[in-house]
Amino acid sequence: MALEPGGILHIAHLARLHLLEDDAERYAGELSAILAFIEQMNAVDTGGVTPMAHPFEMTQPLRADIVTEQDRREEYQANAPAVRDGLYVVPKVIE
Amino acid sequence: MMWEAVVGLEIHAQLATRSKIFSGAPAAAGAEPNRQACAIDLALPGVLPVLNAEVLRMAVMFGLATNAEIASRSVFARKNYFYPDLPKGYQISQYELPVVKRGVVEIALDDGPTKRIGIARAHLEEDAGKSVHDAFPGETGVDLNRAGVPLLEIVSEPDMNSAGEAMAYMRTIHSLVRYLGICDGNMEAGSFRCDANVSVRRSGETALGTRTEIKNLNSFRFVGRAITYEIERQIETLAGNGTVVQETRLYDAVADETRAMRDKEEANDYRYFPDPDLLPVELSPEYIERIRAELPELPDVKRQRFRSEYALGENDARRLTAIREIADYFEAVANASRQPRLAANWVTGDLAAALHRANIEITHSPVGPEELATLIVRIADGTLSGKMAKEVFESVWRREGDPDSVIAKRGLVQISNPAAIEDFVDQIIAAHPEQVEQFRTGKEKVFGFFVGQVMKLTRGQANPEQVNQALRRKL
Amino acid sequence: MHTLSVSALGNALRRKEFSSVELTTHFLDRVAAYDTTLNSFITVTGDIALADAARADERRRAGEDNPLLGIPIAHKDIFCTRGVRTSCGSRMLDTFIAPYDATVVDRFRANGTVMLGKTNMDEFAMGSSNQTSWYGPVRNPWDADRVPGGSSGGSAAAVAAGLAPIATGTETGGSIRQPAALTGLTGLKPTYGRVSRFGMVAFASSLDQAGILARSAEDVALSLGAIAGHDPADSTSVDRPADDYPGALGSDLSGVRIGVVKEQFGEGLDPVVGKLVEEAIDDLERLGATILDVSLPNSALSIPVYYVVAPAEASSNLSRYEGVRFGHRAAHPVDMEDLYKRSRSEGFGDEVKRRIMIGTYVLSAGYYDAYYLKAQQVRRLICADFARAFDQVDLIVGPTSPFTAFPIGEKLDDPVAMYLCDIYTSGINLAGLPALSAPAGFARGLPVGLHLMGNHFREDLLLSVAHRYQQATDWHTRRPARFT
């Protein structure tokens, strides 16, 4: 599947990446080459094969419903680019 | 032209766990911003989710209570989208393989009959955080305390045809989750909220019309009003040869209307895929049976039992079983007093009114079930008249003492001794010869005057029945 | 000191020939002297190292002893380290100070190791040459104009140059074994779930696994013992006790059936590399192993499948980097979308962006079935190939990398060529199997790796076979001339 620059811009938007027009052109070429390479898998018949999401057939372990976490807000927010009154601050979000 | 509305609800019930669905942070509401958001909730690099056992148990309880299929294997997926209150950039939710499928509940309609509403699925997911829009000018604050709080999303079939049915369904589910103890049902706090899918079609058509989704309805009344408005809007649109646009709408309670909402992501492409940090959840038949054995008695069963065991009518039985705590209270009173009819009257009458006035839950009632039972016993054994009982109830409500001590303190014992009553009656007759004359010449109305005078003389303590009889005899 | 094995260092510490503080100072001095050339460390934690060492000496004085007590270690900068920058090789996390330790770091610390610092790596572990790091490329100690492999290239270069006796690494498609091969080290990727992923910055969750780079199988065995085991904080961690890896060393090879993957000796393999690997297989046969041919018919598809599965998971795993709670944030964002897009575009390098876009694409509406689902189906076929092979043999061998270390700058403009570096290794990650690379000679002066692949949880057998091979050969004892 060859990707057009327009398609790349849509994908970049879904992934919240800012691309310049030139970048889009370049990425379209690179990604098309990668996709063409990936499409080698189409040569193999996978009719009736169950998709595999995990290396093992294990099942989800469960955690007891216990509060184990203490408040560490100050330590966690030391990494935040913008914090005020304990809130993470971002540009105005319009609903 | 006749129109038919088709309504389906997606209810989000916050599960009443101590900790979050995938982390050990507290799930309780009310903390200062971000004090209950741990590294996992904040999606810091390298953290991993581990599933809370309790949310699974609660989901299975709900499934069993709605006669649903419990999936022996369910899978958590990632729903990918960017939003400031979604720390990971994806929400963990069950998608293709939910834990509960194909359930059913029966709802009671206003005019008496019942209707079965299908539950397509109920799945587990995590809640998002909260965006605070009014804290800072020109900026939004993000509080992630709610991020990771467990939700059970209950998706109905589009089996409802009116706002009234939707409200009845929502009430039924609300009652059920509270019975099961899996959700506190607090709609103001947002722990029980719903989205409504509404479409209309011409009567007799089988294909569904284009639907709109009304988001975030957090009261029964809003559900009713929003759906009513939306049905009318769609009928008007279609009748005027317009088309209904598939979109998300918000209900504005002040204007009482729904409005199209700006989409979170214009092209909603959530790119669901199985969460590789979590493994498939497998439930054994033994596990499911163990939970079934622990299920409490459910509203429908309890209602039937109340009707047969306590000889209650359908309406009383329904009112008493809608909320588990009320049913428990009633049963305690009925069993202790052995007067189920009186117990039903008091619980649905004076007690309900008093609780409503004071805006408190029955579990916090100042008049406990034992006290109300004593009061009822005193009515039944003739100690108290109905009027006196109300007075005693008020005193007990004000915590002036238990019913017997209030009765003793106020000397409120009903006078039922026939000789004493005759004595009082004789005194009144002797004191009012004029009225006696009026009565004997046919003025029946004067009889009430005599009753009043006797009651006044006895400060209301005379047994009214006996006063009546004595007066009739003597006059 | 820097030429001694972990067990020799342990013995010397036990006999008080030197203290951990002296040993640590020696390695820190070497880092200071040589790392300006190699660029193998992103952060050197000298103060922490000396404090760790003093504590280890104290513990030893108090009577404690274990094989890693007082031994210096370098951690790949993908592992969260409390109070220390954890960059993952990215501008995005250049200022991120982890508020917790990864389970791996925690367990090493509990065993008394000394953290020298955090090693360089391909950005978010995406790369096979360590050229995608925000902190610049790492150089190969065997030839400073060449790459050390990746993504654990900093760990590989540091151990190969004697700047650390052992180092942690992580794999998603070959990121321990390939750099081990290109720098002449022994590198093990354990079974998926054998070592906890908690606190390890996620790339592709169903493939990621932590492991060890060291100078011998014995050193790897001693290190693995410290970190293998169940961790309730990682749902995918396997609840099964770890084996006694050092105790498994020393058995002979008679009766061990080793399968040679015929598909991995064809086109694309440097003939000199192929010849050295064949000689190593002959050595294994001489040592008593039974050599058989096995087939992994879908082997060639492991890279195409990998480049669907890994980017898909990565595109989602990397959504949390958006400049709200931590990490790089673009200056003066006008709105939320601007904040997201510019923060992510400035914070991520080219290769990371490429993979995020591939992953987003293969999961997007209309393409999910053709790419993601198809890849998951072929993944099962690849696993089935291994399962069939392990019905016939105990171990599988082949070359780790099709070629030796290549010049810095090469393959950067050709993503597909770069991806083919992992052609022999990535199938193992898709199947969750353990595998190691051990030095098997030199081609034109550059190290060549022998790839040993085991069945699930057979780290013990992998290490014991590699150890037996290393007892009979001396490839693993060779040191790059400039760093003796």
Side-chain angles (χ1 to χ4, degrees):
Chain A
M1 170 73 64
L3 263 167
E4 300 300 321
I8 281 288
L9 288 173
H10 171 65
I11 294 297
H13 172 69
L14 278 179
R16 293 300 183 272
L17 293 170
H18 173 73
L19 296 191
L20 300 170
E21 290 295 321
D22 290 359
D23 290 340
E25 196 88 24
R26 179 169 58 83
Y27 279 119
E30 289 170 353
L31 266 57
S32 296
I34 294 166
L35 290 173
F37 175 74
I38 287 170
E39 282 159 18
Q40 287 179 46
M41 356 178 253
N42 294 338
V44 54
D45 178 14
T46 50
V49 179
T50 313
M52 177 176 165
H54 275 287
F56 289 125
E57 297 294 323
M58 296 196 308
T59 60
Q60 177 60 34
L62 302 175
R63 179 177 67 74
D65 181 26
I66 300 168
V67 173
T68 52
E69 295 292 329
Q70 311 302 314
D71 169 29
R72 290 172 66 190
R73 185 177 84 179
E74 278 66 29
E75 199 180 346
Y76 292 146
Q77 294 195 335
N79 275 303
V83 164
R84 210 174 308 142
D85 301 342
L87 294 163
Y88 295 94
V89 180
V90 298
K92 192 88 189 161
V93 175
I94 307 132
E95 290 219 315
Chain B
M1 182 69 67
M2 290 291 285
W3 299 90
E4 182 189 46
V6 178
V7 180
L9 295 187
E10 291 168 16
I11 293 174
H12 288 89
Q14 181 182 318
L15 297 176
T17 55
R18 284 186 285 267
S19 63
K20 293 187 180 176
I21 181 167
F22 298 119
S23 82
E32 275 180 52
N34 292 308
R35 293 227 178 266
Q36 291 183 173
C38 74
I40 293 168
D41 310 323
L42 294 171
L44 296 187
V47 299
L48 294 169
V50 184
L51 182 62
N52 185 338
E54 192 63 3
V55 303
L56 204 54
R57 193 183 71 87
M58 290 176 166
V60 171
M61 284 177 86
F62 178 82
L64 292 173
T66 52
N67 285 312
E69 248 174 64
I70 308 297
S72 58
R73 182 185 169 88
S74 56
V75 169
F76 283 98
R78 293 183 180 179
K79 179 182 184 180
N80 294 283
Y81 66 94
F82 285 88
Y83 206 71
D85 62 18
L86 189 72
K88 294 187 290 294
Y90 57 84
Q91 179 196 29
I92 304 176
S93 175
Q94 296 185 316
Y95 182 55
E96 279 179 341
L97 298 173
V99 61
V100 170
K101 283 178 294 190
R102 286 187 281 277
V104 66
V105 289
E106 196 167 80
I107 62 169
L109 305 178
D110 283 344
D111 43 357
T114 60
K115 181 173 178 179
R116 286 161 72 83
I117 306 295
I119 291 170
R121 56 186 281 158
H123 64 255
L124 290 165
E125 62 183 30
E126 56 180 346
D127 207 346
K130 194 172 76 184
S131 295
V132 182
H133 299 295
D134 51 5
F136 318 116
E139 287 175 313
T140 292
V142 182
D143 174 8
L144 297 171
N145 282 345
R146 217 178 58 196
V149 163
L151 299 177
L152 185 67
E153 180 172 337
I154 304 157
V155 183
S156 82
E157 295 289 356
D159 285 349
M160 291 155 275
N161 300 108
S162 68
E165 286 182 18
M167 286 166 78
Y169 166 78
M170 197 173 169
R171 283 208 169 89
T172 304
I173 298 292
H174 186 254
S175 161
L176 188 59
V177 295
R178 293 190 54 184
Y179 254 79
L180 295 170
I182 63 175
C183 173
D184 69 12
N186 187 335
M187 298 176 76
E188 258 169 59
S191 46
F192 189 88
R193 55 190 197 261
C194 98
D195 304 337
N197 288 306
V198 178
S199 65
V200 299
R201 61 183 168 196
R202 289 180 166 79
S203 296
E205 276 183 7
T206 48
L208 289 172
T210 306
R211 66 183 170 86
T212 59
E213 184 181 14
I214 314 166
K215 281 272 181 207
N216 258 330
L217 299 163
N218 63 354
S219 82
F220 296 117
R221 205 158 50 95
F222 288 173
V223 166
R225 284 165 56 181
I227 293 172
T228 301
Y229 175 88
E230 185 60 17
I231 291 171
E232 278 169 19
R233 187 189 70 86
Q234 289 189 18
I235 290 174
E236 236 169 76
T237 305
L238 294 174
N241 281 325
T243 45
V244 172
V245 182
Q246 184 166 347
E247 63 189 356
T248 303
R249 299 177 72 86
L250 273 182
Y251 176 68
D252 178 341
V254 178
D256 188 22
E257 61 178 28
T258 68
R259 271 201 303 267
M261 190 180 158
R262 214 183 77 119
D263 248 338
K264 277 189 182 179
E265 191 157 324
E266 42 279 43
N268 275 339
D269 186 348
Y270 291 126
R271 290 158 282 136
Y272 283 99
F273 74 106
D275 189 330
D277 286 331
L278 292 162
L279 298 161
V281 175
E282 287 192 3
L283 300 178
S284 67
E286 298 75 47
Y287 172 88
I288 294 167
E289 286 318 305
R290 211 160 51 234
I291 293 175
R292 193 193 302 277
E294 290 165 5
L295 279 185
E297 186 182 33
L298 297 174
D300 283 351
V301 176
K302 199 184 281 281
R303 195 177 73 242
Q304 294 306 330
R305 182 169 65 80
F306 277 19
R307 291 195 59 172
S308 57
E309 200 172 316
Y310 301 115
L312 300 180
E314 173 68 16
N315 275 343
D316 274 349
R318 194 172 284 282
R319 286 184 68 182
L320 287 169
T321 53
I323 293 171
R324 184 177 170 177
E325 287 75 15
I326 293 178
D328 291 347
Y329 187 105
F330 161 76
E331 275 212 282
V333 177
N335 292 339
S337 66
R338 299 187 176 282
Q339 299 290 335
R341 282 235 48 86
L342 276 172
N345 290 345
W346 275 87
V347 172
T348 59
D350 291 77
L351 177 68
L355 291 170
H356 181 75
R357 270 196 306 276
N359 192 25
I360 47 182
E361 299 288 330
I362 197 161
T363 45
H364 297 106
S365 169
V367 180
E370 309 76 24
E371 292 165 325
L372 187 56
T374 309
L375 184 70
I376 285 169
V377 168
R378 294 291 165 259
I379 299 168
D381 70 11
T383 309
L384 295 177
S385 67
K387 187 160 173 285
M388 285 156 68
K390 283 181 197 292
E391 207 179 317
V392 174
F393 177 83
E394 293 299 329
S395 297
V396 177
W397 180 273
R398 289 191 301 269
R399 300 185 191 280
E400 287 167 13
D402 61 63
D404 282 338
S405 66
V406 169
I407 290 166
K409 235 186 309 187
R410 301 192 162 202
L412 273 178
V413 180
Q414 180 168 257
I415 300 159
S416 316
N417 178 343
I421 288 188
E422 276 190 32
D423 196 35
F424 288 126
V425 167
D426 288 341
Q427 283 182 44
I428 294 300
I429 289 175
H432 299 88
E434 201 176 313
Q435 283 81 357
V436 172
E437 195 50 42
Q438 286 175 358
F439 181 77
R440 286 186 180 151
T441 56
K443 270 201 158 181
E444 182 65 25
K445 273 200 308 200
V446 190
F447 188 76
F449 166 80
F450 287 108
V451 176
Q453 288 301 310
V454 175
M455 295 314 280
K456 193 173 165 191
L457 184 66
T458 60
R459 286 181 301 152
Q461 281 167 267
N463 181 322
E465 198 67 9
Q466 287 174 297
V467 171
N468 272 337
Q469 288 166 8
L471 277 168
R472 289 267 174 226
R473 236 177 12 251
K474 306 230 169 202
L475 286 168
Chain C
M1 294 178 198
H2 59 274
T3 59
L4 296 176
S5 69
V6 170
S7 64
L9 287 172
N11 286 334
L13 287 167
R14 213 164 286 126
R15 288 195 300 264
K16 304 200 166 38
E17 287 170 25
F18 45 76
S19 67
S20 176
V21 168
E22 287 164 328
L23 179 64
T24 300
T25 306
H26 175 73
F27 277 107
L28 289 172
D29 289 347
R30 284 184 64 81
V31 171
Y34 293 111
D35 208 43
T36 44
T37 312
L38 293 175
N39 195 29
S40 67
F41 281 84
I42 290 174
T43 305
V44 179
T45 53
D47 293 346
I48 291 174
L50 291 170
D52 282 354
R55 206 170 306 120
D57 287 335
E58 186 57 42
R59 281 166 70 172
R60 193 174 289 283
R61 274 195 294 278
E64 196 177 329
D65 191 16
N66 82 62
L68 297 175
L69 184 59
I71 304 291
I73 189 169
H75 288 305
K76 185 177 182 179
D77 207 17
I78 198 167
F79 291 102
C80 285
T81 43
R82 188 168 186 168
V84 175
R85 172 172 65 179
T86 300
S87 76
C88 220
S90 181
R91 181 185 184 192
M92 182 61 85
L93 292 177
D94 185 45
T95 59
F96 178 68
I97 309 294
Y100 41 80
D101 279 327
T103 300
V104 164
V105 171
D106 198 41
R107 292 196 176 168
F108 268 121
R109 173 165 303 139
N111 275 268
T113 61
V114 170
M115 180 170 80
L116 295 171
K118 309 290 296 290
T119 59
N120 205 341
M121 55 182 288
D122 279 298
E123 184 179 10
F124 282 101
M126 296 178 185
S128 307
S129 68
N130 222 302
Q131 297 180 88
T132 70
S133 170
W134 166 250
Y135 302 92
V138 177
R139 292 171 184 276
N140 192 321
W142 294 92
D143 178 346
D145 293 330
R146 290 175 185 268
V147 303
S151 65
S152 310
S155 288
V159 176
L163 310 189
I166 46 173
T168 51
T170 62
E171 274 220 7
T172 306
S175 280
I176 291 171
R177 290 164 288 158
Q178 186 255 13
L182 269 48
T183 58
L185 296 180
T186 305
L188 172 79
K189 187 217 75 111
T191 307
Y192 181 83
R194 178 70 293 176
V195 176
S196 170
R197 292 189 295 119
F198 188 85
M200 192 175 114
V201 178
F203 164 8
S205 310
S206 80
L207 304 167
D208 293 347
Q209 178 62 205
I212 304 291
L213 292 112
R215 286 199 298 265
S216 67
E218 187 193 16
D219 287 1
V220 171
L222 289 169
S223 309
L224 181 63
I227 55 171
H230 181 237
D231 179 6
D234 173 1
S235 297
T236 61
S237 160
V238 178
D239 191 359
R240 163 188 172 130
D243 293 310
D244 175 8
Y245 306 109
L249 304 178
S251 53
D252 73 50
L253 296 193
S254 57
V256 176
R257 296 164 302 164
I258 296 180
V260 180
V261 195
K262 56 181 190 204
E263 287 88 356
Q264 297 187 347
F265 287 86
E267 200 191 335
L269 176 64
D270 176 340
V272 187
V273 172
K275 188 166 164 293
L276 286 166
V277 171
E278 278 164 8
E279 285 173 19
I281 294 167
D282 291 343
D283 289 339
L284 292 172
E285 189 167 27
R286 266 192 296 281
L287 290 168
T290 306
I291 306 296
L292 302 159
D293 276 342
V294 291
S295 175
L296 300 173
N298 294 294
S299 173
L301 293 178
S302 58
I303 294 287
V305 169
Y306 176 86
Y307 276 94
V308 174
V309 174
E313 293 182 13
S315 69
S316 176
N317 280 336
L318 269 61
S319 290
R320 67 189 58 196
Y321 306 107
E322 25 73 307
V324 175
R325 285 146 291 114
F326 54 85
H328 178 73
R329 178 181 207 150
H332 314 300
V334 297
D335 58 18
M336 221 31 236
E337 185 163 316
D338 185 44
L339 180 141
Y340 284 144
K341 289 187 172 176
R342 281 197 298 123
S343 299
R344 288 166 61 77
S345 292
E346 293 168 10
F348 293 140
D350 256 10
E351 181 59 22
V352 172
K353 281 187 257 195
R354 240 185 325 258
R355 296 204 196 183
I356 289 174
M357 285 194 282
I358 296 169
T360 303
Y361 182 77
V362 299
L363 289 174
S364 65
Y367 300 101
Y368 182 88
D369 289 2
Y371 291 98
Y372 183 73
L373 217 55
K374 178 81 181 179
Q376 284 205 317
Q377 290 175 309
V378 182
R379 183 177 184 179
R380 191 172 292 281
L381 299 179
I382 290 168
C383 284
D385 286 354
F386 280 111
R388 258 192 310 277
F390 283 119
D391 282 342
Q392 303 158 40
V393 297
D394 305 305
L395 283 185
I396 301 173
V397 289
T400 307
S401 162
F403 30 70
T404 55
F406 47 91
I408 288 174
E410 199 178 288
K411 300 185 201 294
L412 268 183
D413 300 334
D414 186 351
V416 173
M418 185 69 89
Y419 297 170
L420 288 170
C421 290
D422 296 327
I423 182 144
Y424 306 138
T425 50
S426 58
I428 285 292
N429 301 77
L430 292 169
L433 295 163
L436 68 71
S437 181
F442 291 83
R444 299 171 295 270
L446 294 167
V448 167
L450 171 71
H451 194 201
L452 291 171
M453 298 163 262
N455 210 341
H456 293 126
F457 302 106
R458 290 315 309 270
E459 288 84 359
D460 57 340
L461 181 63
L462 281 173
L463 289 165
S464 117
V465 169
H467 179 65
R468 186 71 196 85
Y469 174 74
Q470 290 178 343
Q471 285 179 316
T473 57
D474 67 352
W475 304 119
H476 66 292
T477 64
R478 308 287 177 91
R479 300 274 174 272
R482 286 182 57 194
F483 301 93
T484 52

